[in-house]
Every structure is written in structure tokens, then in C-alpha cells.
Amino acid sequence: MDSSSMGMPISDPSAWATAMNNLGMAPMSMTGQPLMSDSICTPDFDPSLGMMTGIAPMNPMMPGLGIVPPPISQDMPIVKEIIHCKSCTLFPPNPNLPPPATRERPPGCKTVFVGGLPENATEQIIVEVFEQCGKIIAIRKSKKNFCHIRFAEEHTVDKALFLSGYRIRLGSSTDKKDTGRLHVDFAQARDDLYEWECRQRMLAREERHRRRIEEDRLRPPSPPPIVHYSEHECSQLGEKIKDDSKFPEAVRVLLTWVERGEVNRRNANNFYSMIQSSNSHIRRLMNEKAAHEKEMEEAKEKFKNALAGILVQFEQIVSVFRAASKQKAWDHFSKAQRKNLDMWRKQAEEIRNIHNDELMGIRREEEMEMSDDDMEDAPDSKDSDDSGPLAQVEALKEENDSLRCQLDAYRNEVELLKQEQGKAQPQRSDEDTTRQQQLSFLQQALQGMQKQLLKIREELKQREAELEKSTEEKRQLESQMQSLKDQIQAFPTSHTLPLETAERDDRGSEESVNQACEAAASAVVSCSQEKESLPEKGPPSPVQSEREALLVGIISTFLHVHPFGASIEYICSYLQRLDTKISAMEVEALLGRLPCTFRQELTGVGASLEKRWNFCGFEGIKTV
């Protein structure tokens, strides 16, 4: 601002500085030097960013967004002074009055509304007053006492708002037409909004461009394109596959060719040789893996040894602290030294415990790995020992499941080949023939798998029937063993009388006693070998109590009514209606002890196989 345009008295420099600061301008001294440093008056500007540093980023869609002047320091109070112009004088409002009200600031506002002008005010006077705030682009003055002023910059609008409330007087006249009270407020103009929207779109374009550049910079590079198949490329690829350094890239090209369908009858040998070359790298990869595992084990061992050495040193440090904590040495330290020693001892113990836990964890992992190896070796011995029917049934079930999965896979392949054959147009005769051959092979394999599956199902049913039969035989043998044990227990009492008579006949001879004992032993062995041997002449009755005799009578009556026999469960369900304490094992043992009265038969075929007890007392009376 020129000193000629502001006729402010220079006797009070603080008032001058206050007025200049209120207008948002750097206060200047008489010599033209700024009264405040540049760092305070002018904000730092970064040309690369196009915006001021130190100002927080704002939402560009917020109303009233624009370049605003730096905030006025709170230490300096706002004091409005008299402003002298060439044609008029501006008197400040009463400082005790509240600040004038303003509307909400439109986005990108560069236009202000000025009301309360004197009737005799001209456009030249308006320019003289408001040109101090900044460059004016246009003034639209009304016939009444108001106008609209459009500035070149947005921050000049805030300087113009500073003049709101000032009383203006033209010259020295006190006439009513030469005085007025200024009211400055934000004005909404289409030009300002259009320029603001254009600027926001430009900023958005720059932001998108910057973001796109950043994404392109961070995007991983795309893989190189795969060359098309040819005889020359195939020969070069065969050499690359044999090279260890070029193997990954060559395998990727080979995989792409196979997936594209480049394999046909002509070049099948070339592809087979390349696949064979890729298979030869497995040994190299396994050797590399073994070398890396060896290095890892060596590193683990080295780390474990180093950790053990560190732990030994920690133990020594902790032992030093413990020795210092004993009474004969502890009394000679001061209170501060004791406090430090106690704190150091606790820290050393905590670190020692952490290292000890880590070392124990490593050892525990090694033990678990060893135990896993043992567990892997153990099932082999168990499987070799277990050769019963249950293991065979489980093996057959697993084989059945695997064959079913293979069958589904073959069906899917057949369907895919049918779809491809229906969609694809016949281009080459050799490809059609190969596909037809593959289809016929798959159909044959499918039929063979179905036949094998049916055969395995039949074998599975036979094995299940054999398993049930073996379990029934096992139960019969157990019942017979129980009856034989009962007979053996009752055998000594029944043979005491013959032994006594033999002793009376030959009192002095021990040979007769031995012969009697051998005869008794042979009788026991013969009873144990025969499954359904008839009782001897001397043994007691298999019915040991009156309750068992009642059970025999009731069961005989029940089976007499059922001429085709009944299962043990059916018999027990009838007997438990009479006595709930009767068990199936007791009834079956009783029936097993009376083979001449009750007979067990197997009826049915396959899954309907069932054991039934029949009453055979009418036939058994003849044999007895």
C-alpha cells in the first residue's frame, strides 16, 4: 500500500502497524523496511506443491475454501484506526459493538457486496477505497446505495471484509448524501463458482495423474510373453530345460505349450523328451533340499550350543549376585548399592529364565520330532501283525473308495472330452483320431473299473458273511468252553468213589492210583476235544438248581410252540416278562449245557443269516 493513499499520521507507529496488520499487509517503516520478519508476515510457499506449507490440507468441497491470509497473532489486539483517502475519510466503528454479521462464504468467493454507500459516492471513490485491499477486476454499481466488487484474488475478500462497519464521509461535508455506513459481505457470483469448479477439476486431474503414476511405479512388472510353438523354439527349449539356471523359465514355457494344446502325434516325442528332461531335475532338487536341511540342522545345533554357553554365563552372573546377597557381604554395601544389586539380580534372573525356556523349547521340539519318527515306524509292525478279517475288510473298503474316486475322475474326463468334441470343429484328422482313441481307452477303462468295483463289492459281502459266521462260531466255542469248565469242576467229586473202591481192592499198590489218575486226565482231555460230546455215565445233571429246571421247562414249552426255532433274543424277551433278572448269557449257557434237549441251527443266506434254537428232546431221548 502506498503511503500517499493512506494519510495516517505517523506520530503513532503502533497504530500504523495495527492498521496495516488488520488489512493483512506487512507493516512497513518509514524507510520501507518490514517491521516484522518475513517468517511471521509471509508464509512459506513450496512451488513444487503449489500450496502453502504449514497450512493443514482441507476438503476442496468445503464451502468457503480458498487461500486465506495467515491467522493474526492473539497477542496483538485488533484495533481499527481512521483511514484517510484522497476524496474521503473512513472512521472506525465503536469497538464495543459486536462484529457485523456475514453470510456463509461461497466456494471460491472473489466478489463482495458493499452496502451503505453515500448517495453522492462515485465509482472512482469506491475504487479509491477498496483498491487498497487488492486488484479489482470489475465493479457493478447500482442506482441505489450498494455495489458488487470482484477482486482478482480470493484472500483480498477478507481484507475488504475488514472495512465492514466503517463510517465513510466524502471530503469535509457533513451532508446526509455525503455520509454512510459501509456493510461488506460475501456475494455469490456465477463466475467465481465456475472458476472454483474449474480449479477443483484441475486439482482432481492432477491428483489422479499423480496417483496413476504412483500405482504404475508400485505395480509389479508383468511376466514376459510366452513364445509360440515351433520346431526351432522346441529345440531351443529342450536345451534350456537341461540348464539348471534356465530351468524355471523353460518349465513355464513348456507348461504353457501343454496347456495350449500344442501336443499332437507329430511332436509327441519332442514333448516327451522335454518332460523327461524336466523329470531329471528332481534328483538335483532333492539334493539341494537335503543340503539346505543339513545347513539348517547345523545352524540349529550351532544356535543351541551358543545358547547353552550364554546360559552358563548367565548362571555364573546370577551366582555372583546370590553370593553378594549373603549376610557377610551384604552388610558392607550401602543402601543405594543394595537397591541396585537387587534390581540387577532380578533382571539377570528374568533374562536367564527366558533363555532357559527357549533352550528347553528347542530340546522339546527335538524330542517330539524323534517321537514322531518312532510313531511312523510303529504302525508298520502293527499292520504286519494284524492279519485278521477286520483288517482285510477295512483294506477292501479303502480300496473300494479309491476305485470309486478313480471311476468318478474317469467319468468327468469322458464328459469333458465329449463336450470338447461337440464344441470344437474338426480341423485336423490326426487330432480327431487321437481324441477318439483316448475316448475309447477311457470307456474301456471305465467298463473295467465298473466290473472290478462289482467284483470287489461281492467279495466284500462274502467277507462280511464269513466274519459274521466266524463270530457265531466263536460264541459257540465260548459257550462250549464254559460248559466244559463246569464239567471239569464237577469231575473230581464224581470220580472220588471209583478211586476209593480201587484203593480198597489194591491197598498197597500205588500203580492202581496212578492208573486211575491217568484215566481221569484222559477223560478230561477227551471232553475238551469233543464239541458236543455226550455226558459219561457218572457225571451229575447239568441242571444245578431248581430255578434252572424251571427255566428248562419254560423254554421247552416255548420252543415246542415254535417248531421252526427262535433266536436267543426272542427267548430272552419272553423270559424277561417273567423275571427281569434273567440275562441272555445265562440262558445261552444253560441251553449249551443241554445238547440233547436243545439244538442250535443257522438259517438264512447272506445278510439274513440268523442263529435259532430248536427243541430236540423227542429225538434226544433215543440217543440218551
Side-chain angles (χ1 to χ4, degrees):
M1 185 183 295
D2 298 335
S3 60
S4 61
S5 62
M6 298 289 289
M8 176 91 50
I10 62 174
S11 59
D12 190 3
S14 63
W16 173 266
T18 304
M20 296 293 287
N21 185 50
N22 291 335
L23 288 175
M25 302 176 183
M28 308 295 288
S29 63
M30 291 299 295
T31 60
Q33 299 294 330
L35 294 178
M36 290 182 288
S37 63
D38 294 336
S39 62
I40 298 176
C41 296
T42 58
D44 297 332
F45 185 76
D46 190 356
S48 64
L49 297 177
M51 55 192 301
M52 297 181 185
T53 59
I55 299 177
M58 303 173 66
N59 187 358
M61 298 307 294
M62 286 176 60
L65 179 66
I67 302 175
V68 296
I72 302 173
S73 177
Q74 298 295 331
D75 299 334
M76 184 179 295
I78 300 175
V79 179
K80 293 185 177 183
E81 300 292 340
I82 300 174
I83 301 174
H84 296 278
C85 300
K86 292 180 180 180
S87 304
C88 61
T89 306
L90 300 177
F91 298 94
N94 187 359
N96 297 326
L97 294 177
T102 57
R103 67 172 67 180
E104 187 178 0
R105 181 169 187 158
C109 179
K110 295 181 182 179
T111 306
V112 294
F113 166 82
V114 181
L117 293 171
E119 294 182 7
N120 295 332
T122 61
E123 187 173 339
Q124 183 179 0
I125 294 174
I126 295 170
V127 171
E128 182 182 350
V129 173
F130 286 95
E131 198 174 17
Q132 305 171 15
C133 302
K135 184 180 178 180
I136 297 175
I137 296 178
I139 296 178
R140 294 190 298 272
K141 188 176 182 305
S142 177
K143 295 180 181 180
K144 297 184 180 181
N145 302 334
F146 69 90
C147 69
H148 288 84
I149 303 173
R150 189 164 188 260
F151 293 96
E153 302 293 337
E154 291 187 22
H155 66 275
T156 56
V157 174
D158 297 288
K159 297 179 182 180
L161 288 175
F162 177 77
L163 299 176
S164 183
Y166 270 82
R167 289 178 288 108
I168 183 172
R169 187 177 66 183
L170 303 181
S172 58
S173 175
T174 58
D175 192 3
K176 187 176 181 181
K177 294 183 179 181
D178 296 332
T179 60
R181 184 182 295 275
L182 297 179
H183 175 69
V184 186
D185 198 355
F186 300 108
Q188 190 169 4
R190 288 192 295 270
D191 297 339
D192 298 342
L193 182 61
Y194 176 72
E195 289 182 2
W196 181 81
E197 289 176 351
C198 291
R199 187 167 63 255
Q200 296 304 317
R201 284 195 289 270
M202 181 186 67
L203 294 175
R205 285 195 298 271
E206 291 178 357
E207 180 65 24
R208 287 196 300 271
H209 179 67
R210 192 182 302 110
R211 192 181 297 113
R212 192 179 300 112
I213 292 175
E214 187 69 18
E215 290 176 356
D216 292 341
R217 187 177 65 84
L218 298 177
R219 185 182 294 115
S222 59
I226 305 298
V227 297
H228 291 281
Y229 174 80
S230 64
E231 295 293 335
H232 177 66
E233 294 293 340
C234 182
S235 61
Q236 287 187 350
L237 187 65
E239 297 297 329
K240 288 182 181 178
I241 287 179
K242 296 177 182 178
D243 190 0
D244 294 343
S245 60
K246 299 179 181 178
F247 177 72
E249 181 182 359
V251 165
R252 186 166 58 85
V253 176
L254 177 61
L255 175 63
T256 306
W257 285 354
V258 174
E259 289 179 350
R260 285 178 182 175
E262 301 288 348
V263 184
N264 52 36
R265 182 169 292 181
R266 296 176 184 175
N267 56 18
N269 294 329
N270 296 332
F271 275 97
Y272 178 78
S273 61
M274 288 189 290
I275 294 171
Q276 187 177 9
S277 300
S278 62
N279 183 47
S280 63
H281 285 270
I282 294 177
R283 184 179 300 174
R284 175 182 63 84
L285 296 175
M286 293 300 294
N287 294 333
E288 291 181 1
K289 179 186 175 185
H292 289 309
E293 287 180 352
K294 185 177 179 181
E295 291 177 0
M296 185 178 67
E297 294 296 332
E298 291 177 355
K300 280 185 179 180
E301 190 68 25
K302 186 177 179 181
F303 174 72
K304 186 176 70 172
N305 296 333
L307 191 61
I310 292 171
L311 190 61
V312 169
Q313 296 180 14
F314 271 116
E315 289 289 348
Q316 293 175 356
I317 295 171
V318 171
S319 62
V320 169
F321 281 116
R322 287 178 180 173
S325 300
K326 291 184 179 179
Q327 194 70 25
K328 57 183 179 181
W330 189 256
D331 295 338
H332 299 287
F333 295 113
S334 63
K335 188 174 181 180
Q337 291 174 347
R338 292 177 183 176
K339 186 177 181 181
N340 290 334
L341 288 173
D342 194 11
M343 181 179 63
W344 294 340
R345 179 180 60 79
K346 290 180 180 178
Q347 291 178 355
E349 287 180 352
E350 289 178 0
I351 298 173
R352 188 270 314 270
N353 293 333
I354 291 172
H355 283 73
N356 194 8
D357 293 341
E358 189 173 358
L359 183 62
M360 293 301 294
I362 294 172
R363 292 176 178 173
R364 205 174 296 117
E365 288 179 358
E366 292 179 352
E367 293 176 357
M368 290 176 66
E369 290 177 357
M370 293 176 64
S371 63
D372 290 340
D373 296 338
D374 296 339
M375 290 298 291
E376 288 177 359
D377 297 338
D380 297 336
S381 61
K382 290 183 179 178
D383 294 339
S384 61
D385 296 337
D386 190 7
S387 59
L390 290 174
Q392 294 179 1
V393 171
E394 292 296 331
L396 286 172
K397 285 184 179 179
E398 291 179 359
E399 188 176 359
N400 190 7
D401 295 336
S402 63
L403 290 174
R404 189 181 292 108
C405 294
Q406 292 179 8
L407 184 63
D408 295 337
Y410 281 125
R411 284 177 180 172
N412 295 331
E413 290 183 5
V414 170
E415 290 177 359
L416 289 174
L417 287 173
K418 286 182 179 178
Q419 292 177 2
E420 290 179 359
Q421 189 176 7
K423 292 180 181 178
Q425 298 179 358
Q427 296 179 357
R428 299 178 182 178
S429 59
D430 53 356
E431 292 183 0
D432 293 340
T433 54
T434 53
R435 286 187 178 178
Q436 289 178 0
Q437 288 178 0
Q438 290 178 358
L439 186 60
S440 61
F441 290 156
L442 288 174
Q443 288 178 353
Q444 292 176 4
L446 185 61
Q447 293 176 359
M449 294 289 290
Q450 289 177 350
K451 292 179 181 178
Q452 190 174 3
L453 184 61
L454 293 173
K455 185 177 179 181
I456 289 175
R457 284 181 179 175
E458 291 177 358
E459 290 181 358
L460 183 60
K461 289 181 180 179
Q462 292 177 2
R463 293 293 178 86
E464 289 179 353
E466 291 177 359
L467 181 62
E468 291 181 358
K469 188 175 181 180
S470 61
T471 52
E472 294 297 333
E473 291 178 355
K474 183 179 178 182
R475 290 180 183 176
Q476 291 179 2
L477 291 174
E478 288 178 355
S479 62
Q480 292 173 4
M481 287 293 294
Q482 184 67 28
S483 62
L484 290 173
K485 287 180 181 179
D486 296 339
Q487 292 178 5
I488 290 170
Q489 290 177 359
F491 183 77
T493 57
S494 62
H495 285 72
T496 52
L497 294 174
L499 289 175
E500 289 177 358
T501 54
E503 287 179 356
R504 289 174 183 174
D505 295 338
D506 300 326
R507 292 181 179 178
S509 64
E510 294 179 357
E511 294 179 357
S512 62
V513 176
N514 295 331
Q515 290 177 359
C517 292
E518 289 177 359
S522 62
V524 171
V525 170
S526 62
C527 290
S528 62
Q529 289 177 354
E530 294 176 1
K531 293 182 180 178
E532 296 180 354
S533 61
L534 296 174
E536 296 182 356
K537 296 180 181 180
S541 174
V543 179
Q544 299 176 359
S545 62
E546 186 178 0
R547 183 172 180 273
E548 291 184 356
L550 290 173
L551 285 176
V552 170
I554 294 171
I555 294 170
S556 301
T557 307
F558 181 80
L559 292 178
H560 186 66
V561 178
H562 295 77
F564 298 104
S567 62
I568 190 67
E569 291 82 6
Y570 188 22
I571 297 171
C572 290
S573 64
Y574 174 73
L575 295 175
Q576 286 175 357
R577 294 286 297 272
L578 305 174
D579 187 2
T580 56
K581 296 180 181 180
I582 297 173
S583 63
M585 294 295 294
E586 180 185 358
V587 174
E588 192 170 4
L590 179 61
L591 296 178
R593 293 201 302 269
L594 300 171
C596 295
T597 309
F598 304 102
R599 182 174 61 247
Q600 189 180 25
E601 294 179 353
L602 291 175
T603 60
V605 179
S608 62
L609 195 65
E610 186 182 7
K611 291 191 305 180
R612 293 190 177 185
W613 289 91
N614 290 327
F615 178 74
C616 60
F618 299 107
E619 294 86 2
I621 192 67
K622 300 176 182 178
T623 59
V624 174

